[in-house]
Amino acid sequence: MKTAASMPLRLGADDGAPLYRRAEGAIRSAIEDGRLKPGDRVPSVVDLAARWKVHKLTVLKAFRRLEADGLLESHVGRGTFVRSAVPSPSPSALVPASSATRAAPPAPRTPRQREAYDRRLREWMASARRSGAIDLVGGVPSAEGIPDGLLGRLAQKALSKDPQRLYGYGGPAGLPELREAIARTLAREGTEVSPEDVIVTNGSQQAIALVAAWARDEGRAAFVETPSFTGIDGAFALFGHDVQSVPWADGAFDVAALRASAGGRRGVAYVCPDFHNPTGWTMPVDARRALAAWAREEDGAVVDDEIFRPMRFEGEAPQSLYSLLPAGRRFLAGSVSKSFMTGLRVGFLVADAPVVADLLTPRRHMDLGSPALVQAIAAAFLDDGYEEHVARMREANRARRDAALTALEEAMPKGVRWTRPEGGFQMWVTLPDGASSIDVFLEGVDRGVAIAPGPVSDTGSRWTSSFRLGYGHGTPQDVREGVRRLAGAVEAVLSRRGASSHAGIEV
Ligand SMILES: Cc1ncc(COP(=O)(O)O)c(C=O)c1O
């Protein structure tokens, strides 16, 4: 254990952040880069306040925040120490005592609680990445299907004519050639929009953030589906929304629950209706119409996150939700990243022209626009190579989905249920009532397979009995072997708790 006095802790340069945040950052980075080790005593409040020439209360506030995050612990009369155990992303931190899966949303969390929660989730999921482990976490496209040299060829094409067009700011709405290519791609997939309705964003994540900014200015309440990709809830919270969760139930977004929760307030509702993350469900047309009716009757706005829609490998696509929504209050979020490579960070938001005009101001304030060269690469890809690439991905995902379904049938204990997605990269597995996907996750880590337990898909830590099974990577054989290992983990968890093998949950 080091003693405190000699500790080289420097307050970072003034970056405009409040002093207590800079103090917090100085200690946090010393812990993160190992200068302060578990068990080390941190210099006292008085000592640090004198060294940094700040008020003692400033240091105290930083200590309290680090304690709340589980990084420090204070002992009366002895001092403050770096906690010996890494703030564990322990199951109990993530899961409320009641493991109800469809319970009412918990009390709203503060942005600070959300941040800490997010960090814990990330640390927790990182523990699953062991060499030799089969990754069934999923949710992102596989790099295996991208032909060698494709990115280089696209970059060359992007630069081959008039490279000067890419030297300056491309504007907050994006390069005209990419806006046009996106409109053409959507039209081929059945949604007619004008290039003027398209804003190019840094990933569809930024598209959601833009809607959150718009909705805040409009004074709208935010309603986000659960389970969900938690980045969505986070994007709304970032813009000051106190997000209300609306559950999916039995394969559809629960519009009745939305109506009840909104109670006549003007709102914005977010859904991912095609191959939903994390369940793989596709919202039936009736549920789409019901959501559109809510928007019409209650002056509601809706975000249709279509990032997985191009990934259908089976069955007929239902009408796009966007096309059913009332003009002026509808948004379509899409992503070239999700169909190609997530590192490209090219997404888009589609809205009606007057709304696009409103959105360009917050967009300008966020980052002035997306990188021009990357946009030109994406435009070259959409016009030449996208169709073939997506077709290859669909076939690869179908083969992996089939391998997962076969292995689930063969190996899973009785009482376990799963969805049968018609596209996308992921399915949702539900354990016999009361069994915990956190236990399965931990057991799976030891057996060399990683899944995303249900609470990862909900900022309120619900959906404990379910988990996301991603089948977007590896060969069908890898997926089959991963599901077999997983079945072993489920079996072990169920036998430990002596669960009855027939208490299924409908999915
Ligand atoms: C449903 C959903 N929407 C949006 C995103 C953000 O994707 P990107 O910003 O890479 O386009 C994700 C990422 O996993 C997601 O699952």
Side-chain angles (χ1 to χ4, degrees):
M1 187 188 95
K2 259 188 259 168
T3 46
S6 58
M7 202 71 65
L9 275 177
R10 224 170 269 120
L11 195 61
D14 185 355
D15 58 357
L19 262 177
Y20 73 86
R21 292 298 293 253
R22 288 169 57 203
E24 180 192 346
I27 302 168
R28 187 186 290 280
S29 49
I31 295 171
E32 282 170 356
D33 63 27
R35 276 175 292 140
L36 277 172
K37 302 217 165 19
D40 280 348
R41 186 151 68 85
V42 181
S44 70
V45 169
V46 177
D47 181 344
L48 284 177
R51 279 198 221 179
W52 292 338
K53 300 189 178 35
V54 299
H55 199 281
K56 289 193 281 289
L57 283 178
T58 304
V59 181
L60 195 62
K61 187 163 178 183
F63 275 23
R64 291 289 167 267
R65 289 167 64 88
L66 292 162
E67 279 167 19
D69 280 359
L71 291 171
L72 296 183
E73 57 190 354
S74 296
H75 297 282
V76 179
R78 289 205 289 128
T80 300
F81 298 79
V82 178
R83 280 188 56 166
S84 14
V86 179
S88 110
S90 75
S92 58
L94 291 168
V95 185
S98 133
S99 65
T101 53
R102 287 175 185 162
R109 291 165 177 275
T110 64
R112 184 107 196 86
Q113 282 172 314
R114 281 175 203 274
E115 264 175 42
Y117 174 85
D118 231 47
R119 209 167 26 246
R120 276 199 197 108
L121 278 182
R122 278 201 303 273
E123 287 163 0
W124 200 48
M125 295 307 295
S127 72
R129 281 190 216 112
R130 295 191 172 173
S131 88
I134 295 179
D135 179 356
L136 299 181
V137 176
V140 291
S142 165
E144 294 143 22
I146 298 171
D148 284 345
L150 176 63
L151 196 56
R153 284 197 296 282
L154 291 172
Q156 258 168 7
K157 194 169 170 201
L159 289 166
S160 63
K161 53 162 185 155
D162 183 23
Q164 279 90 342
R165 80 195 192 289
L166 308 177
Y167 293 179
Y169 290 119
L175 277 190
E177 69 202 60
L178 180 54
R179 297 171 81 193
E180 284 159 18
I182 289 168
R184 272 196 301 277
T185 307
L186 285 172
R188 274 200 303 271
E189 290 167 358
T191 308
E192 294 287 342
V193 305
S194 137
E196 283 72 49
D197 299 345
V198 177
I199 301 178
V200 178
T201 54
N202 289 320
S204 56
Q205 184 66 25
Q206 190 182 37
I208 309 296
L210 274 175
V211 178
W214 173 87
R216 197 258 332 266
D217 287 351
E218 286 244 316
R220 290 177 181 270
F223 302 94
V224 173
E225 64 187 8
T226 182
S228 176
F229 168 50
T230 44
I232 305 299
D233 199 281
F236 278 95
L238 202 58
F239 287 89
H241 290 279
D242 175 11
V243 181
Q244 313 286 301
S245 295
V246 176
W248 277 71
D250 307 321
F253 177 77
D254 192 340
V255 178
L258 168 66
R259 280 186 187 272
S261 189
R265 280 177 299 162
R266 266 174 15 122
V268 58
Y270 164 92
V271 285
C272 176
D274 298 276
F275 320 125
H276 171 244
N277 179 3
T279 65
W281 272 322
T282 289
M283 196 191 283
V285 174
D286 285 355
R288 293 172 191 240
R289 294 217 171 94
L291 183 54
W294 166 79
R296 269 194 311 278
E297 290 158 21
E298 306 288 346
D299 192 13
V302 175
V303 190
D304 167 14
D305 185 339
E306 290 200 356
I307 65 167
F308 301 112
R309 190 169 162 92
M311 295 294 142
R312 174 173 289 278
F313 48 68
E314 190 175 281
E316 276 289 298
Q319 197 173 352
S320 146
L321 172 61
Y322 182 78
S323 63
L324 296 167
L325 297 169
R329 306 195 298 281
R330 57 182 180 169
F331 300 91
L332 184 162
S335 175
V336 184
S337 297
K338 274 284 178 188
S339 312
F340 186 30
M341 44 177 85
T342 49
L344 204 64
R345 308 308 305 129
V346 174
F348 53 90
L349 183 64
V350 178
D352 294 293
V355 181
V356 167
D358 287 346
L359 290 166
L360 293 183
T361 300
R363 173 60 201 277
R364 217 176 265 117
H365 293 159
M366 280 179 190
D367 60 8
L368 301 180
S370 295
L373 175 59
V374 174
Q375 293 187 69
I377 290 173
F381 174 62
L382 287 181
D383 281 341
D384 189 7
Y386 170 84
E387 296 283 326
E388 296 75 16
H389 179 71
V390 169
R392 276 197 305 274
M393 269 178 86
R394 285 191 202 114
E395 280 321 303
N397 285 335
R398 180 211 294 274
R400 289 187 286 241
R401 190 246 2 217
D402 288 348
L405 288 176
T406 307
L408 284 162
E409 285 292 346
E410 285 169 0
M412 271 296 167
K414 237 172 114 198
V416 180
R417 303 276 185 271
W418 49 88
T419 55
R420 188 183 195 284
E422 296 182 330
F425 318 111
Q426 56 225 336
M427 56 175 70
W428 189 238
V429 180
T430 300
L431 299 164
D433 207 1
S436 164
S437 62
I438 310 269
D439 292 344
V440 171
F441 168 80
L442 296 173
E443 186 69 34
V445 170
D446 285 342
R447 290 167 183 257
V449 62
I451 45 110
V456 167
S457 297
D458 182 288
T459 49
S461 308
R462 291 161 297 174
W463 306 101
T464 315
S465 297
S466 300
F467 59 86
R468 186 179 72 186
L469 189 165
Y471 52 82
H473 294 273
T475 63
Q477 289 73 19
D478 294 333
V479 174
R480 201 168 300 133
E481 173 56 23
V483 174
R484 283 203 197 108
R485 292 181 192 179
L486 188 58
V490 171
E491 186 98 55
V493 167
L494 294 183
S495 65
R496 271 206 299 272
R497 62 189 291 279
S500 78
S501 60
H502 56 267
I505 290 178
E506 75 289 2
V507 287

